[in-house]
């Protein structure tokens, strides 16, 4: 799935056993789309409450929230 900046998403999948500030089940907002050289798919930079704390996720780790 392709997301856009400003989309509200839920962190639904943690295949890499990430242990940071975000947890599976958190509602996040996409603030940037990052294209990494050599990668086919972009990463999605997301925030929760603090705009200075963000993390990048693959699309399959996120689910669009219908608001």
């Amino acid at each position: 799935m392709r997301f856009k900046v400003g989309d509200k998403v839920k962190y639904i999948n943690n295949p890499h056993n990430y242990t940071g500030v975000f947890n599976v089940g958190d509602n996040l907002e996409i603030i940037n789309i990052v294209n990494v050289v050599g990668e086919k798919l972009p990463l999605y930079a997301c925030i929760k409450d603090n705009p200075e704390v963000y993390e990048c996720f693959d699309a399959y780790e996120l689910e669009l929230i219908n608001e």
Side-chain angles (χ1 to χ4, degrees):
M1 166 167 268
R2 296 266 182 202
F3 301 107
K4 62 184 183 306
V5 172
D7 279 350
K8 306 290 188 207
V9 294
K10 182 176 287 240
Y11 181 26
I12 60 164
N13 189 13
N14 185 5
H16 308 292
N17 295 318
Y18 166 73
T19 56
V21 296
F22 300 135
N23 298 301
V24 170
D26 284 349
N27 291 337
L28 308 171
E29 179 182 350
I30 295 175
I31 59 166
N32 199 2
I33 298 171
V34 181
N35 293 302
V36 180
V37 173
E39 295 291 327
K40 293 180 182 177
L41 299 173
L43 295 174
Y44 297 93
C46 298
I47 60 170
K48 185 175 175 183
D49 300 320
N50 182 347
E52 294 182 16
V53 178
Y54 68 91
E55 182 62 43
C56 292
F57 297 94
D58 292 307
Y60 60 84
E61 296 176 281
L62 304 172
E63 176 180 77
L64 188 63
I65 297 174
N66 294 326
E67 293 185 344

